[in-house]
């Protein structure tokens, strides 16, 4: 244990990060104090600014400093296609890996009654309102292939159909470059069950 209450507070504060336990937090704290105080101060300032100024877009719920994020404000994006994702990191992944040019809606989670996450917490009222505007023709459901993600996808598909919008789901299965012997049973069963005609 440290004899410095400030050091103990710093270590405890760093533990809030995902995947950071006591030892990792201690290493980070010691590194900043021993070798990189200038960057530590820069990190603290950036963290403070981000916590105070970054909120959520009023339209898609993605992180934004403004009422409307840059993606929603971009008039060149296709307003007929809406991709629904679980978190802002999913938006970043899709933007970096694909040529998708449509709109987004960020749930900030997935349906999980045990965790207290229902339709209201996921902003599904706002999503229903967007679907009712008449612009959207297709809703791409890009939730994770977990039990909760699949339940959320099912709920979203029903919501889309009720609004006369075509729901689609991201494909799941054998990864590109993967070998069947190394694919887990659940993924292989899902891929086999959803096989497609080769054109």
């Amino acid at each position: 244990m440290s004899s410095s209450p400030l050091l103990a507070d710093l270590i405890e504060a760093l533990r809030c990060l995902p995947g950071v336990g006591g030892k990792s937090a201690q290493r980070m704290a010691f590194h900043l104090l021993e070798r990189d105080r200038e960057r530590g101060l820069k990190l603290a300032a950036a963290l403070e600014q981000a916590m105070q100024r970054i909120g959520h877009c009023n339209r898609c719920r993605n992180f934004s400093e403004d009422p409307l994020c840059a993606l929603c404000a971009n008039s060149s994006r296709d307003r007929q296609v809406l991709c629904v994702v679980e978190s802002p990191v999913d938006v970043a992944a899709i933007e970096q890996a694909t040529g998708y040019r449509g709109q987004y809606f960020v749930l900030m989670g997935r349906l999980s009654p045990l965790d207290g996450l229902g339709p209201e917490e996921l902003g599904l009222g706002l999503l229903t309102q967007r679907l009712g505007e008449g612009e959207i023709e297709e809703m791409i459901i890009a939730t994770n292939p977990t039990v909760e993600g699949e339940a959320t996808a099912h709920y979203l598909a029903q919501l889309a159909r009720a609004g006369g919008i075509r729901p689609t789901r991201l494909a799941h299965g054998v990864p590109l470059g993967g070998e069947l012997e190394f694919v887990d049973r659940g993924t292989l069963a899902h891929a086999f069950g959803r096989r497609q005609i080769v054109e």
Side-chain angles (χ1 to χ4, degrees), residues 132-180:
E133 291 173 359
E135 283 185 313
I136 300 166
E137 295 179 4
E138 177 187 4
M139 183 169 78
I140 302 169
I141 301 169
T143 56
N144 291 315
T146 61
V147 172
E148 293 91 353
E150 290 296 326
T152 304
H154 181 72
Y155 190 95
L156 291 170
Q158 289 179 323
L159 209 61
R161 283 188 204 98
I165 294 162
R166 179 171 51 107
T168 58
R169 183 87 166 105
L170 288 186
H172 300 116
V174 180
L176 189 62
E179 296 185 29
L180 294 181

Side-chain angles (χ1 to χ4, degrees), residues 113-134:
L114 295 176
D115 296 323
L117 294 175
E120 187 175 319
E121 289 76 19
L122 300 184
L124 296 186
L126 178 59
L127 177 60
T128 302
Q129 181 182 329
R130 280 192 71 183
L131 297 177
E133 291 173 359

